[in-house]
Amino acid sequence: MKRVLMICAIITVLTTVGIVWVLFSESYTFFQHVSIWDFLTDTKWSPVSTEKHFGILPLLSGTLLTTIISMAIAVPMGVTIAIYLSEYAPKKFRYYIKPMLEILASVPTVVYGFFALTVVTPFLQNYIPNLSGFNALSAGLVMGIMIIPMISSLSEDALYAVPKSLREGAYGMGSTRLQTSFQVILPAASSGIIVSIILAFARAVGETMIVTVAAGNMANLTADPRETVATITAFIVNMSTGDVPQDSIEYQTIFAAGVTLFVFTFILNSISFLIKKRFQEKYD
Amino acid sequence: MEKLSIKEKKLEAINLDVYYGQKQVLKNVNIAIKANTVTAFIGPSGCGKSTFLRTFNRMNDYVEGFRKEGDIIIDGKDIYQKMVRVEELRKKVGMVFQKPNPFPKTIFENVAYGLKIQGIKNKKLIEETVEKSLKQSALWDEVKDDLKKSALSLSGGQQQRLCIARALALEPSILLMDEPASALDPISTSKIEDLIWELKEKYTIVIVTHNMQQAGRISDNTAFFYMGDLVEYDETKTIFTNPKQERTQNYITGRFG
């Protein structure tokens, strides 16, 4: 039995190693044709056009744009909800509402994508006249909503874990509920909250379906949320479902983009791991 | 025990009953506490002494099912009246808890916290108050060079004195202490006890303690609680040498509890 368990563990590790290996070896071939410098500085991305450009910046900007929009929604909403649930809400309300919030996270992302494309974009077009049919704004907004429960749930756990004695200390000095929540409990839970934000950020960077469906697929170096953009993930989807021949340079761009994404989320995860380890306040 | 005139009464409980849900935890408690004294509440676990202490700054308000009958009077005013702002009350009635509970902030910010939430921005005033409070709580010499360090880096005894300083910074007139030394080592405990003795000059102190020797050492008056009743309340030396009630006698001599 022990051996079966061990084999299961080994299979997962081997799969991960395999993925990383394929990613890096395939992109190694890519970088023999395209210099890393060009890859990082060229402002155009057009691997299938006649005039080929392999600059990752437009995809990176698309990714960051949708991610930042989603975080602008998810962080304030998520943290506020967490504070409400942990400091204000009656126990019973918390008991029912928390699982309901978590349902938000279990809606398939392709559903969110079509929601963004067919509901949010037409709605926003009433107010923003030159909003493209595919745009970073609605994709980012909807992605933000999808990520809210991730932040609110993890942050609420962190807030709830702050010992009761700290709350009593704050109340005992004449703090109001608001002062207690924001000046004592929030700082005490800050490491957990920051970790939840970073994980949510990594989730947004890696999110695929929403941006593929709603943000379009036009590599576009822009900071304008009204425009059509392509994220790294959306590019990979479109490229893998297209009919580019294997072992061609076009095909290998998938792996180069994949490595970029991998490095990105790997760094984010490492940061959150370090924060968790170093800044966690110890109470016992 | 001498009878107090209305003016001398700092704290008073009149016919106080306290319930948690169906359970009655305090039964018709009457007590009057004189200003600038140290009063100890003793009694076995679950006798209601902590609950009673917490009625003086309304810390029970958040406990589910809490209900009380009777009155708590501080400086001649019923503190459970609707018009009383509980935040104002707690600035006047400071509290130190059983376990040191410094905020995860610097030493300085911990002591300055009370002033800051009142909207005081005058830097000089804040600095002076922090220094004064830390001196009063006999912690200044140990931390004056480390004010920017995290309060959590202090030892347990230091943390508790920091919590006392934090409460003093608000210049309360009453200090409630809920077993303030029970989580500390003997040296820290004796420091806290010396401190209580000094603070008495400026504050009225009510302390809940499990430790009978401690009550004997530091308090002027002692109240013995048992199963929600205030069994006996008298000068400490009388309680410890010549109690009137048999139950007090039995508890003091260690026959139960």
Side-chain angles (χ1 to χ4, degrees), chain A residues 91 163 165-177 179-180 183-184 187-188 281-284, chain B residues 54 57 59 62 64 85 87 90-91 93 95 97 99 101-105 113-114 117 152 166-167 170:
Chain A
K91 251 189 200 155
S165 65
L166 271 191
R167 280 184 190 88
E168 287 196 321
Y171 287 131
M173 296 187 68
S175 315
T176 60
R177 236 171 211 214
Q179 287 166 335
T180 305
Q183 297 185 31
V184 176
E281 302 286 0
K282 295 266 185 298
Y283 302 102
D284 34 30
Chain B
R54 285 162 176 250
N57 66 345
M59 283 301 278
Y62 302 111
E64 236 165 282
R85 279 200 61 213
E87 287 84 18
R90 289 181 190 146
K91 280 167 197 161
V93 186
M95 185 156 197
F97 297 84
K99 243 179 64 186
N101 56 353
F103 302 137
K105 299 173 184 285
Y113 175 83
I117 58 168
L152 300 173
R166 189 173 72 180
L170 285 165

Side-chain angles (χ1 to χ4, degrees), chain B:
Chain B
M1 199 177 165
E2 56 174 333
K3 204 91 179 124
L4 298 179
S5 72
I6 293 177
K7 265 194 169 172
E8 285 174 315
K9 289 174 185 167
K10 182 79 186 166
L11 297 164
E12 195 178 11
I14 302 169
N15 300 333
L16 184 76
D17 293 315
V18 170
Y19 303 84
Y20 288 143
Q22 296 296 315
K23 195 174 172 252
Q24 184 166 12
V25 284
L26 285 173
K27 295 166 194 162
N28 195 30
V29 173
N30 285 282
I31 202 168
I33 291 170
K34 195 180 165 187
N36 300 93
T37 56
V38 178
T39 305
F41 291 173
I42 61 169
S45 303
C47 68
K49 57 191 192 300
S50 276
T51 298
F52 186 43
L53 187 77
R54 285 162 176 250
T55 55
F56 290 118
N57 66 345
R58 292 184 52 178
M59 283 301 278
N60 293 325
D61 287 15
Y62 302 111
V63 179
E64 236 165 282
F66 169 78
R67 187 163 59 83
K68 65 110 203 158
E69 279 158 27
D71 298 316
I72 297 284
I73 312 286
I74 293 180
D75 289 331
K77 282 187 201 125
D78 179 355
I79 60 161
Y80 275 90
Q81 289 216 318
K82 277 221 173 79
M83 54 206 250
V84 173
R85 279 200 61 213
V86 72
E87 287 84 18
E88 294 301 320
L89 168 73
R90 289 181 190 146
K91 280 167 197 161
K92 207 169 80 175
V93 186
M95 185 156 197
V96 178
F97 297 84
Q98 182 170 5
K99 243 179 64 186
N101 56 353
F103 302 137
K105 299 173 184 285
T106 65
I107 294 170
F108 183 90
E109 282 171 353
N110 259 278
V111 186
Y113 175 83
L115 300 177
K116 287 192 175 157
I117 58 168
Q118 291 189 60
I120 293 170
K121 296 221 167 68
N122 185 338
K123 256 192 163 175
K124 204 165 159 246
L125 176 71
I126 294 177
E127 276 170 20
E128 282 171 5
T129 312
V130 169
E131 182 174 339
K132 199 176 91 189
S133 312
L134 284 170
K135 279 181 174 158
Q136 273 189 305
S137 72
L139 188 61
W140 176 253
D141 290 333
E142 291 161 58
V143 301
K144 64 182 175 211
D145 300 320
D146 302 320
L147 293 177
K148 290 211 168 99
K149 272 198 189 162
S150 165
L152 300 173
S153 66
L154 297 173
S155 75
Q158 289 174 322
Q159 287 188 2
Q160 194 61 305
R161 277 178 285 149
L162 180 68
C163 291
I164 294 174
R166 189 173 72 180
L168 296 181
L170 285 165
E171 304 194 327
S173 61
I174 298 164
L175 206 53
L176 307 176
M177 301 180 131
D178 191 354
E179 301 190 44
S182 69
L184 305 179
D185 61 89
I187 294 171
S188 302
T189 301
S190 93
K191 277 189 183 162
I192 301 266
E193 288 181 6
D194 292 345
L195 183 59
I196 290 171
W197 197 246
E198 283 165 30
L199 291 175
K200 176 173 104 155
E201 283 184 23
K202 292 178 83 177
Y203 307 90
T204 306
I205 296 171
V206 185
I207 177 169
V208 164
T209 178
H210 250 106
N211 180 330
M212 248 147 351
Q213 286 80 18
Q214 184 173 64
R217 282 193 296 266
I218 61 174
S219 68
D220 300 297
N221 300 308
T222 296
F224 169 60
F225 289 83
Y226 184 64
M227 310 261 292
D229 286 311
L230 171 55
V231 177
E232 193 166 353
Y233 173 48
D234 212 327
E235 283 175 35
T236 300
K237 55 175 188 286
T238 315
I239 292 268
F240 279 89
T241 54
N242 190 19
K244 293 185 187 65
Q245 303 283 332
E246 205 189 327
R247 276 186 294 176
T248 315
Q249 173 85 42
N250 289 345
Y251 184 71
I252 301 288
T253 52
R255 239 168 276 169
F256 75 96

Side-chain angles (χ1 to χ4, degrees), chain A residues 192-268:
Chain A
I193 292 172
I194 290 170
V195 166
S196 82
I197 291 173
I198 294 173
L199 289 178
F201 194 94
R203 177 80 180 77
V205 167
E207 169 51 33
T208 310
M209 282 321 291
I210 297 177
V211 285
T212 307
V213 173
N217 188 35
M218 203 164 77
N220 192 352
L221 185 58
T222 178
D224 186 345
R226 293 169 302 184
E227 288 192 36
T228 304
V229 297
T231 63
I232 299 177
T233 51
F235 166 76
I236 294 174
V237 168
N238 282 294
M239 212 55 179
S240 342
T241 52
D243 48 1
V244 288
Q246 275 201 19
D247 296 327
S248 66
I249 180 86
E250 291 89 341
Y251 178 76
Q252 278 151 358
T253 55
I254 296 174
F255 295 95
V259 162
T260 315
L261 198 59
F262 176 77
V263 170
F264 211 150
T265 47
F266 181 76
I267 290 171
L268 288 172

